[in-house]
Amino acid sequence: MPAKQTQQVNFRYTVQAGVGIRAVEQVPLDGIISSVCFHFPPGAMGWVQVAFGHGSKQIMPIAGFLQLDDATPVFPTAEVVHRNEDIWVIIRNTDAINPHTVSIMVNMDGD
Amino acid sequence: MPIVETYPVVVEGIGRVDYSNAVEITTEPVITSWQNVFTFSELVAPIPAGGSLAVNMPIPSDLVVIIYDYFASIPANRLIRLVVAMVDPAGPVITVLDELAYQTVSIHLLRGKTFVGSIRYTLYNYAATPETGMRIGAAGIYTTEDQFTLHISP
């Protein structure tokens, strides 16, 4: 049975130097997270740490943080989620001077 | 609306400013080229009955002109002739084009003709009366001699 709808949640934040952010959105459907795309801007130089998860479970990466520079990887997944469940990102800018703008796009399929 | 909490983190190093952030509306592409558009247009008059008139267009010494399109026209259906020649001060006069037509001479070349020194357009009027409405034109590109040597000439 094919999924009835696809939804996308976009987390995009400019994080100041020496600041961490935890942002939470709610899942708009019952289904799966089909992919997660992380965008690290040029200049982040590995000083920006990003993690993504839902509920109490961190799924990307499974532990620790992603720390990249000028990269936009997309990770396919089939993580089951439920409507109104929390999805969250943690972005930690450990750069001492520069703010960085990071995006995390979460694609979900379901009913 | 997302719930967003912020908290301090321990800094670990210094990255680089993200120049791509929010500059989308302020950047415009600047097109630069070693070629420039060359156009030429002039009213050549009067051409005496059964005679000719020459127009010289000098080219600065450090430039090369390459012309693809040539044009000469009069407002009447009479025979005219357009001769285009390159006049190199250090060399001979080289005839590049010689074309006869009624009312309009229009030539479009796929591979342009190269000019240095100066360009001489010679117009012939075969009618029994002077021609006062002859208009000529040319279009192509010009470039510096250095760039011409570097990019175009074999």
Side-chain angles (χ1 to χ4, degrees):
Chain A
M1 183 92 174
K4 289 180 180 170
Q5 61 172 317
T6 295
Q7 295 276 353
Q8 187 175 65
V9 174
N10 187 24
F11 297 92
R12 183 177 193 269
Y13 295 102
T14 299
V15 186
Q16 299 302 314
V19 171
I21 280 184
R22 185 174 192 275
V24 181
E25 290 261 17
Q26 289 195 313
V27 174
L29 47 70
D30 287 313
I32 60 165
I33 297 172
S34 54
S35 69
V36 183
C37 171
F38 296 87
H39 172 64
F40 291 83
M45 311 282 278
W47 299 120
V48 178
Q49 306 174 333
V50 179
F52 167 77
H54 68 100
S56 59
K57 183 182 178 186
Q58 178 176 329
I59 61 168
M60 286 193 189
I62 202 74
F65 293 97
L66 281 171
Q67 295 169 252
L68 302 173
D69 177 71
D70 195 9
T72 312
V74 179
F75 299 105
T77 177
E79 187 78 11
V80 175
V81 287
H82 301 289
R83 188 183 297 273
N84 297 331
E85 186 183 355
D86 286 349
I87 52 173
W88 49 264
V89 295
I90 292 172
I91 306 168
R92 292 161 48 93
N93 184 4
T94 66
D95 188 330
I97 295 177
N98 301 298
H100 296 290
T101 302
V102 176
S103 297
I104 297 98
M105 285 148 281
V106 184
N107 285 297
M108 287 167 278
D109 298 332
D111 299 328
Chain B
M1 284 295 291
I3 303 164
V4 181
E5 303 163 359
T6 62
Y7 53 90
V9 297
V10 177
V11 297
E12 296 175 1
I14 298 173
R16 177 173 65 68
V17 174
D18 176 10
Y19 295 106
S20 67
N21 186 25
V23 297
E24 293 88 346
I25 58 168
T26 62
T27 53
E28 283 182 27
V30 178
I31 299 166
T32 57
S33 172
W34 44 271
Q35 297 174 347
N36 297 274
V37 174
F38 168 85
T39 56
F40 174 73
S41 178
E42 192 164 313
L43 181 70
V44 183
I47 307 173
S52 68
L53 193 62
V55 176
N56 271 307
M57 206 209 83
I59 300 167
S61 60
D62 57 340
L63 295 184
V64 174
V65 175
I66 304 163
I67 303 181
Y68 294 80
D69 301 316
Y70 304 83
F71 178 80
S73 186
I74 57 172
N77 189 12
R78 292 197 296 266
L79 187 65
I80 57 170
R81 181 181 171 199
L82 169 67
V83 177
V84 180
M86 182 173 82
V87 185
D88 187 344
V93 177
I94 302 165
T95 300
V96 174
L97 285 172
D98 188 342
E99 193 75 18
L100 272 166
Y102 283 94
Q103 191 163 0
T104 300
V105 176
S106 181
I107 299 165
H108 307 281
L109 304 176
L110 289 176
R111 191 176 172 87
K113 302 290 185 186
T114 306
F115 295 88
V116 293
S118 72
I119 307 169
R120 178 182 294 169
Y121 304 87
T122 310
L123 291 311
Y124 291 81
N125 172 25
Y126 296 101
T129 54
E131 178 54 61
T132 57
M134 172 79 81
R135 183 165 282 282
I136 62 170
I141 60 173
Y142 71 91
T143 181
T144 62
E145 204 169 332
D146 290 346
Q147 294 288 3
F148 174 81
T149 307
L150 206 61
H151 290 275
I152 298 178
S153 66

